[in-house]
């Protein structure tokens, strides 16, 4: 089966914005064995959008339209698709009531304009929006199907997964697709590819894709077979070789680092605190982005100058004077202070120069010390990250979490009383 | 004048790749006063591409096609566009010779396959490619124009600048474009639109676009005129009315909230600390994402359980027992503790239930108390945010920054010693 995607929104036709929903949707379609043959971006113009919808449905049996379902005048998707299909819009009182309930539960009054979102194209099924106010729509036209989805990714994704996938699956012949993801840190993309490409290039199936973000590379394997056993066997064959080549640089099968570290802490009934200088809260923000993280994360310190490093985290002033804030002894003192003052089993500390200013000869921009304190003692390492402020902070947070992951893996192999294992 | 862009390449229809050439091209077109009305991605399929080109030219006078000009079988752009225009391809010996010279100068032998690149659509002008081997093409068809460009950005950009811009400029009347952005918080998108749409709908020029993210709405005005004065006057006329309607809900002309708050602090030589519970570092992360934020941000506390609220931020234990962690008195005590223990002029505190777990009858998921402490005293407010964990945390951080912004604006009108102004 073939599909097209139309992203609606004049802002997506400006030099500063891209339609990224289509990437995620493509992935979802591909996993069902549906091929994307064209995608389009159309502005908030009803006539033009109606023409694009009509043309797409003439050549392709499945059309996904994202965006333009909001309450305002420039949200024209409902009207345009109705026009393209030659069907009227129908007011559905239940949708209005649901929307009013939603506003009431937030102690707000629903603006009259939200009535627009209570209109369905005749014959459409409403797709519930658990996150926002605009419902989606699922419309069959003979053998064809049109799906209207809200533009915000946080609304589009759950709606597609919960309400569109189950409706699409019966329309396509079963093709078994099994994927495996390895998430890797501590290697540059080119180094990783040099290691594993001689292996994965021997396989057309599974197909291998390498996606790189700062400090976080994903290796995707994707097997397409007629049976699940066959697909699993292929993944196991290629995956086993990749695991052997990358070892403990692989930190998960898809979960983010903060989840992996959280699970290791939980399994050990251990707790965590942080003391952040240059990451300024990013490390804690990542840790606490995981629901239930209060089971192991206690809190910590944001220490953005010398005074707070001393007053909050208890770093001795003479250590700062002698070594400077961006140094191994200060990183260690921050981690120990966070452990001591919060009572946590482990603590992570980050101190460095995120830039663009603040660099010096001994600590140029990108220099970051990361310390881990725990029952086995405290240890700091120096890193030099390349890139702008955001990238340096991102690398620093990821590397700090990885340092804790490695410490926890070692500590599980050696009881706390034994001397630390050489690594 | 209006334009469309078609990006050609099956790889651009995979989940991992985006057409980014179109962003740069859009910028170039906009600067000439040419408006992009649609963009498309088509795979390496001749028939489908020919149909897309034909349809685009029926509705729009200028079409840019990028990619598919290479030497291999799956480079179908030349053939597809020739077919769409109903013109033959013509072999141009000079193009072949130029290509052979290029290979010779690199001491390489030209593969026979490169002959394909020596074909022009009848009537086309060849656009020299100083970087790669595939020439571009410039084709007039009556009042319409089609431009074929190579896909690699390093070839497309210089070719467009040197050979396409000079051909496009005479086709369009001189046009000046000026834009203005308002960033707004503290209003739902529908409420904002209800307030300002009666005004902006009276204007086709400037065109108004409303972009909404959680807690952060952008209103873009875009004036297109024949002179700069005229454009500025139109922006001032519409902008002034929007400013009057939205008042201090407008927090900037484009800069993010954390930048605005940072500048207000800097202008007052004031400093800031935070105490974060449910935002878990997000608030500080946003503040410190601004280069130079160490001039005013001192640090603070991550207090993810009762114990750290007491031990780190100095919240009295009996306050927690009596009111619970998610309460006005605890929010105030957190902000006061952060001020006192860091010596900051101001402190922000956030305590709430981000979910999905942890909700109670008195404090359901989404309940967040935000406190501001400063020389004028301490004040907390309760909010009920809708959405998932990420959304609640995002709203909470944005609302906390806005609370500080409002406090700082008031404090600039009243000296610190005077009683607070009614708001």
């Amino acid at each position: 089966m073939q599909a097209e995607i139309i992203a609606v929104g004049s802002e997506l036709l400006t030099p500063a914005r891209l339609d990224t929903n289509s990437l995620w949707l493509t992935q979802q379609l591909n996993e069902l064995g549906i091929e994307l043959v064209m995608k389009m971006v159309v502005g908030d113009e009803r006539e033009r959008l109606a023409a694009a919808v009509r043309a797409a449905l003439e050549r392709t049996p499945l059309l996904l339209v994202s965006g333009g379902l909001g309450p305002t005048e420039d949200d024209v998707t409902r009207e345009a698709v109705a026009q393209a299909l030659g069907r009227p819009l129908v007011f559905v009182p239940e949708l209005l009531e649901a929307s009013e309930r939603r506003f009431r539960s937030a102690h707000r009054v629903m603006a009259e304009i939200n009535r627009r979102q209570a209109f369905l194209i005749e014959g459409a099924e409403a797709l519930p929006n658990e996150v926002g106010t605009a419902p989606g729509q699922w419309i069959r036209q003979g053998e064809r199907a049109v799906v209207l989805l809200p533009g915000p990714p946080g609304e589009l994704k759950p709606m597609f997964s919960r309400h569109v996938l189950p409706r699409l699956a019966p329309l396509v012949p079963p093709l078994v697709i099994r994927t495996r993801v390895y998430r890797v840190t501590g290697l540059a993309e080119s180094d990783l590819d040099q290691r594993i490409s001689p292996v994965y290039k021997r396989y057309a199936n599974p197909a291998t894709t390498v996606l790189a973000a700062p400090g976080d590379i994903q290796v995707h394997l994707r097997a397409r077979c007629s049976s699940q056993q066959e697909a699993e066997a292929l993944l196991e064959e290629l995956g086993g070789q990749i695991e052997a080549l990358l070892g403990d640089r692989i930190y998960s099968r898809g979960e983010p680092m903060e989840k992996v570290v959280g699970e290791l802490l939980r399994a050990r009934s251990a707790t965590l605190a942080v003391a952040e200088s240059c990451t300024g809260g990013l490390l804690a923000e990542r840790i606490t982005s995981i629901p239930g993280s209060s089971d192991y994360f206690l809190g910590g310190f944001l220490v953005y100058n010398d005074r707070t490093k001393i007053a909050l985290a208890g770093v001795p002033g003479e250590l700062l004077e002698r070594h400077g804030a961006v140094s191994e002894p200060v990183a260690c003192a921050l981690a120990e202070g966070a452990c001591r003052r919060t009572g946590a089993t482990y603590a992570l500390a980050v101190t460095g120069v995120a830039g663009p200013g603040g660099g010096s000869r001994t600590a140029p921009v990108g220099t970051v010390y990361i310390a881990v304190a725990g029952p086995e003692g405290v240890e700091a390492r120096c890193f030099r990250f390349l890139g702008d402020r955001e990238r340096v902070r991102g690398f620093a947070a990821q590397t700090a979490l990885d340092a804790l992951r490695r410490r926890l893996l070692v500590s599980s192999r050696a009881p706390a009383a034994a001397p630390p294992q050489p690594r």
Side-chain angles (χ1 to χ4, degrees), chain A:
Chain A
M1 193 181 196
Q2 297 187 323
E4 297 194 23
I5 296 174
I6 298 180
V8 182
S10 295
E11 74 281 7
L12 299 173
L13 291 170
T14 63
R17 292 283 290 270
L18 276 170
D19 154 45
T20 51
N21 281 332
S22 66
L23 296 183
W24 186 86
L25 289 172
T26 303
Q27 173 93 47
Q28 302 295 311
L29 293 172
N30 288 352
E31 282 173 15
L32 284 176
I34 298 173
E35 182 196 7
L36 184 70
V37 293
M38 201 180 298
K39 58 185 184 183
M40 259 178 274
V41 177
V42 184
D44 302 312
E45 292 180 73
R46 197 178 71 173
E47 292 297 330
R48 201 181 289 277
L49 178 56
V53 167
R54 212 177 293 118
L57 283 175
E58 271 165 25
R59 59 194 175 224
T60 310
L62 173 62
L63 173 62
L64 308 184
V65 184
S66 68
L69 292 182
T72 70
E73 278 292 332
D74 64 1
D75 290 304
V76 298
T77 299
R78 277 177 298 266
E79 286 83 354
V81 175
Q83 181 180 336
L85 297 176
R87 303 194 196 179
L89 284 168
V90 185
F91 176 69
V92 182
E94 295 77 29
L95 289 176
L96 185 66
E97 283 156 27
S99 183
E100 284 172 338
R101 262 198 311 279
R102 209 181 144 76
F103 274 87
R104 262 200 309 276
S105 79
H107 304 290
R108 287 167 46 203
V109 176
M110 194 189 80
E112 182 62 18
I113 198 175
N114 285 287
R115 275 181 69 89
R116 289 170 62 90
Q117 297 183 327
F119 282 84
L120 282 189
I121 291 167
E122 192 179 66
E125 293 176 58
L127 305 174
N129 186 340
E130 279 102 7
V131 185
T133 56
Q137 305 197 26
W138 166 268
I139 310 144
R140 294 303 306 265
Q141 177 107 322
E143 291 298 298
R144 324 230 137 202
V146 187
V147 186
L148 311 189
L149 295 164
E155 301 180 24
L156 174 139
K157 292 178 184 183
M159 186 185 290
F160 187 90
S161 300
R162 283 177 218 156
H163 304 295
V164 181
L165 273 185
R167 288 172 167 86
L168 279 179
L171 306 185
V172 289
L175 170 71
V176 177
I177 298 183
R178 283 292 175 276
T179 59
R180 183 178 290 189
V181 176
Y182 294 113
R183 292 184 74 162
V184 182
T185 194
L187 267 179
E189 185 186 8
S190 51
D191 295 338
L192 173 131
D193 205 62
Q194 206 159 34
R195 278 194 205 191
I196 67 172
S197 68
V199 167
Y200 74 66
K201 280 203 185 126
R202 295 205 309 267
Y203 294 81
N205 189 23
T208 301
T209 316
V210 177
L211 297 175
D216 193 7
I217 305 178
Q218 302 196 9
V219 180
H220 287 243
L221 313 184
R222 190 177 139 83
R224 302 158 55 105
C225 301
S226 55
S227 84
Q228 185 171 332
Q229 293 90 319
E230 198 189 340
E232 297 287 0
L234 275 176
L235 287 180
E236 194 51 42
E237 185 184 321
L238 173 54
Q241 297 173 69
I242 289 176
E243 287 175 37
L245 288 168
L246 296 178
D248 68 358
R249 313 257 185 173
I250 296 173
Y251 70 81
S252 85
R253 287 276 184 96
E255 292 185 323
M257 181 69 90
E258 50 270 31
K259 187 95 194 283
V260 171
V261 167
E263 280 164 12
L264 289 171
L265 287 165
R266 194 192 299 275
R268 285 157 182 73
S269 303
T271 55
L272 176 64
V274 299
E276 300 190 52
S277 180
C278 66
T279 44
L282 175 60
L283 178 58
E285 190 277 323
R286 283 188 57 184
I287 294 164
T288 60
S289 69
I290 304 297
S293 46
S294 57
D295 293 348
Y296 46 82
F297 183 68
L298 304 185
F301 303 100
L302 303 159
V303 285
Y304 222 55
N305 63 12
D306 281 2
R307 236 190 99 205
T308 48
K309 286 181 182 73
I310 296 169
L312 273 45
V315 175
E318 59 98 24
L319 221 55
L320 285 159
E321 260 168 53
R322 185 144 30 109
H323 303 281
V326 180
S327 65
E328 188 178 323
V330 168
C332 289
L334 283 170
E336 289 174 318
C339 259
R340 195 173 56 243
R341 298 201 166 181
T342 63
T345 329
Y346 291 93
L348 281 171
V350 185
T351 177
V353 188
S360 65
R361 208 179 48 78
T362 50
V365 169
T367 306
V368 178
Y369 285 84
I370 291 172
V372 188
E376 311 83 1
V378 63
E379 189 184 25
R381 274 185 69 195
C382 178
F383 297 86
R384 187 78 42 94
F385 300 120
L386 293 180
D388 63 8
R389 184 175 181 84
E390 189 183 343
R391 212 176 141 92
V392 168
R393 285 160 43 110
F395 266 119
Q398 176 80 348
T399 307
L401 289 168
D402 192 46
L404 178 59
R405 178 182 72 97
R406 289 166 178 275
R407 169 75 73 97
L408 292 168
L409 289 176
V410 170
S411 81
S412 77
R413 294 200 288 269
Q421 299 284 306
R423 272 186 289 154

